[in-house]
Amino acid sequence: MYFIDYFCQKIKVNKIGILTSGGDSPGMNACIRAVVRTAHYFGIETIGFIRGYDGLIDNQYVTLSRNSVSGIIHRGGTILKTARSERFRTEEGLKMAAKNIANHSLDGMVIIGGDGSFKGAIEWSKYTNVQIVGCPGTIDNDLLGTDFTIGYDTAINTVIEAVDKLRDTAESHDRIFVVEVMGRDAGLIALRSAIASGAEAILVPEIKNDVDVLIQKINSWRKDKSSKIIIVAEGDETGGAYKVADIIKQYKPDHDVRITVLGHIQRGGNPSCMERVNASLMGYHAVKSLMDNRHLVMIGIIDKKVSYTPFEKATKHIQNINEDLLQMLEILSS
Ligand code: F6P
């Protein structure tokens, strides 16, 4: 639905900027590398702004050459550093960033970030003529217009590795483990990691009152089920793993419940193979998109094809969780 592939006119691009913004995510470095190397191939200079939009406002930047992105494809985090810039929300900040860009004579900007970063870019475009394209960088996978955001695959693999370990100890003690995963507004990390780790239940922000359903479910669990893993997305309206564990203890005082909050460990680590390939593809197409005169679009991958989604659409949160996956989890975890 959001796949837009209109005819684009080629334009001459001489110099571009790149930055990473919002929460870091594994694969951002692979994307930076792809942008810099693709730009180099087409004779385009690249500069990288440090600490996201704050770097744009403070004019903190580095010149990026083919060599300066060597040895980073496998590294988590971002060599450009990142930030959630408060100043970029102010008119003064937006104007300062626009002024700096004009002084650099940039033809285009590549923003690697999530929802907030693209919303910031939309605002900024009112103050600058620079062409802006984005690559989806967030572990939450909560952007429309791509099947997978940069960082999501690695994060869910980190979660299942942790849950597999928790399963060993849960099994040995016949315990319930409530595991909190990231996902401020979306339960997509929770859903996929729950399926892949064989979790017994999930609580996600997309579904309301799921804690009541959880209690009914606990009552119906097979008596011979030894360990039980409940994955809670941090954004679930119940209020996180501690609250969920309290509720379970209240209704089921005879159950032995433990809590694990995985936290920022989900944001680190070497990107998976899929992450590196997707991030490279998106970075490569980000540069080509600027050459094709695209503006305010996010490069994504839908059904293995490159897609271009206007920032405005990309940043609308997915409110519906995949019902089929949910139902399958329900059946398989019984
Ligand atoms: O970037 C997404 C995310 O990892 C969310 O899942 C989480 O709620 C948030 O970032 C945490 O942000 P911070 O690192 O700024 O505390």
Side-chain angles (χ1 to χ4, degrees), residues 21-25 28 83-84 114 137-142 181-186 189 234-235 263-264 266-267:
S21 164
D24 65 333
S25 63
M28 280 183 163
R84 302 190 192 278
T138 166
I139 64 164
D140 290 356
N141 204 31
D142 59 348
V181 299
M182 279 188 168
R184 206 173 13 203
D185 306 295
I189 295 179
E234 63 174 332
H264 284 78
Q266 295 160 92
R267 288 245 294 264

Side-chain angles (χ1 to χ4, degrees), residues 130-144:
V130 78
Q131 244 179 284
I132 309 167
V133 297
C135 295
T138 166
I139 64 164
D140 290 356
N141 204 31
D142 59 348
L143 291 164
L144 288 182

Side-chain angles (χ1 to χ4, degrees), residues 45-62:
E45 259 181 79
T46 309
I47 60 172
F49 291 91
I50 310 297
R51 287 188 191 80
Y53 290 127
D54 279 346
L56 266 187
I57 297 169
D58 298 331
N59 199 25
Q60 271 200 341
Y61 68 95
V62 284

Side-chain angles (χ1 to χ4, degrees), residues 183-195:
R184 206 173 13 203
D185 306 295
L188 298 168
I189 295 179
L191 178 61
R192 275 195 186 248
S193 58
I195 293 168

Side-chain angles (χ1 to χ4, degrees), residues 238-269:
T238 317
Y242 283 89
K243 292 260 169 61
V244 173
D246 281 348
I247 295 170
I248 297 173
K249 283 183 206 158
Q250 196 185 323
Y251 285 94
K252 298 270 149 204
D254 54 321
H255 283 55
D256 205 5
V257 185
R258 292 292 184 276
I259 300 155
T260 301
V261 177
L262 291 180
H264 284 78
I265 198 164
Q266 295 160 92
R267 288 245 294 264

Side-chain angles (χ1 to χ4, degrees), residues 6-18:
Y6 45 84
F7 174 73
C8 292
Q9 203 188 354
K10 296 265 178 230
I11 56 157
K12 179 79 188 117
V13 176
N14 295 309
K15 190 174 175 187
I16 60 171
I18 180 171

